[in-house]
Amino acid sequence: MSYENINIKNRQYKIVVDNIRKVYDVRSQNGQDNERFLALDNFNLKVKKGEFITVVGPSGCGKSTFLDILAGLSKPTSGKVYIDGEPITGPALDRGIILQGYALFPWRTVEKNIEFGLEIKKIPKEERKKISEKFIELVGLKGFENRYPHELSGGMKQRVAIARALAYDPEVLLMDEPFAAVDAQTRESLQEELLNIWEKTNKTIVFITHSIEEAVFLADRVVVMATSPGRIKEIINVKLPRPRINSQIRTSQEFNLSRNKIWELLHRDADKKQTEVSV
């Protein structure tokens, strides 16, 4: 696929990933020579504006490498990635990044953490406050504006991270295992909260996860990756109705069909590798 062959005026595609390949130079086992490690190969993906995409795959399949390339933190060895028809050349404020480690500034209050990106954009102080108040309310943290990160639970910290990413109004949210560090009950609550925010803001979201259930519950489409090298194995369309509530969706036939299909795709490769090792 070449982006030149896609109608550049057709703005239905927010993100176009055009045949990217990523190779790392790594130390060999003897520690003296360099070896080439192929992390991603023949990776193609088109994401529509406002679409919610989740990415699942085994450890080491290149999920986070792919997200780093989308964020502009890493460059592909070959191929290109486009947002709105423009190639990604580095980090920019059109993309917000949310990680599982929260990455909050411990010396800043909730309000001041959320205002950080607005300060970089040189938004006036009064306007920054209004924007932060809006997103504090959106993520359900009204009354906690003056708390510091050490005074918050894990789920609340992640809400601050989401609000901070949304506050400077990026067009794309890139999320790398954002709920992995919280307990199961908080995780389900945050999943529903994220969908609520997404439905209100119409952001384009690319969400990395190891959880098949989370991937299916959140997504319009699930990208299933394989490893050695990292590549897209299959893309699953999720036909669950919206809005989604965990207690209703997880018992549905469609949810279980999608979950089981993804499980089979992932474990088919794992079983094959295990057989090869045994032989």
Side-chain angles (χ1 to χ4, degrees), residues 116-172:
F116 178 72
L118 302 172
E119 292 173 12
I120 293 176
K121 292 181 75 173
K122 301 188 184 303
I123 303 295
K125 185 176 180 179
E126 289 186 6
E127 188 176 348
R128 288 202 307 265
K129 186 172 179 61
K130 288 180 181 178
I131 293 171
S132 68
E133 287 175 353
K134 171 187 172 182
F135 285 99
I136 284 169
E137 187 165 354
L138 185 64
V139 298
L141 286 176
K142 191 169 179 61
F144 293 88
E145 296 89 339
N146 297 315
R147 298 285 185 91
Y148 288 89
H150 73 272
E151 299 176 296
L152 305 175
S153 68
M156 293 169 77
K157 289 176 186 176
Q158 200 56 279
R159 290 170 187 263
V160 178
I162 293 169
R164 181 176 61 184
L166 288 168
Y168 61 85
D169 199 26
E171 298 175 25
V172 176

Side-chain angles (χ1 to χ4, degrees), residues 14-223:
K14 189 69 178 178
I15 302 169
V16 174
V17 182
D18 186 3
N19 199 31
I20 61 172
R21 189 171 191 262
K22 181 64 178 181
V23 179
Y24 290 104
D25 288 325
V26 297
R27 286 282 186 185
S28 64
Q29 290 188 355
N30 63 28
Q32 297 177 355
D33 304 314
N34 284 339
E35 295 179 347
R36 292 174 70 78
F37 172 70
L38 182 57
L40 292 174
D41 192 33
N42 192 32
F43 199 105
N44 295 283
L45 181 66
K46 292 183 285 187
V47 181
K48 293 181 180 179
K49 178 178 173 59
E51 192 172 16
F52 199 130
I53 295 289
T54 56
V55 183
V56 295
S59 295
C61 72
K63 299 186 297 294
S64 294
T65 297
F66 166 57
L67 207 73
D68 284 347
I69 291 171
L70 277 183
L73 301 173
S74 178
K75 292 184 178 180
T77 304
S78 61
K80 290 186 178 180
V81 183
Y82 302 83
I83 290 184
D84 288 332
E86 297 296 327
I88 292 175
T89 57
L93 291 176
D94 62 351
R95 281 151 281 152
I97 306 172
I98 302 170
L99 307 172
Q100 64 171 289
Y102 316 125
L104 302 179
F105 299 114
W107 60 89
R108 283 178 170 250
T109 63
V110 167
E111 181 180 66
K112 295 303 180 184
N113 262 289
I114 292 170
E115 290 182 10
F116 178 72
L118 302 172
E119 292 173 12
I120 293 176
K121 292 181 75 173
K122 301 188 184 303
I123 303 295
K125 185 176 180 179
E126 289 186 6
E127 188 176 348
R128 288 202 307 265
K129 186 172 179 61
K130 288 180 181 178
I131 293 171
S132 68
E133 287 175 353
K134 171 187 172 182
F135 285 99
I136 284 169
E137 187 165 354
L138 185 64
V139 298
L141 286 176
K142 191 169 179 61
F144 293 88
E145 296 89 339
N146 297 315
R147 298 285 185 91
Y148 288 89
H150 73 272
E151 299 176 296
L152 305 175
S153 68
M156 293 169 77
K157 289 176 186 176
Q158 200 56 279
R159 290 170 187 263
V160 178
I162 293 169
R164 181 176 61 184
L166 288 168
Y168 61 85
D169 199 26
E171 298 175 25
V172 176
L173 281 183
L174 307 174
M175 309 183 77
D176 193 357
E177 292 278 354
F179 306 148
V182 299
D183 63 85
Q185 186 174 352
T186 302
R187 185 169 187 156
E188 290 189 4
S189 175
L190 287 171
Q191 289 166 1
E192 291 180 0
E193 189 67 39
L194 177 61
L195 287 184
N196 181 50
I197 292 168
W198 170 70
E199 287 161 5
K200 289 179 178 177
T201 61
N202 197 36
K203 301 296 182 186
T204 304
I205 297 180
V206 179
F207 187 108
I208 305 294
T209 180
H210 275 98
S211 168
I212 298 173
E213 289 80 6
E214 182 170 71
V216 173
F217 177 71
L218 293 173
D220 293 317
R221 291 187 294 154
V222 180
V223 176

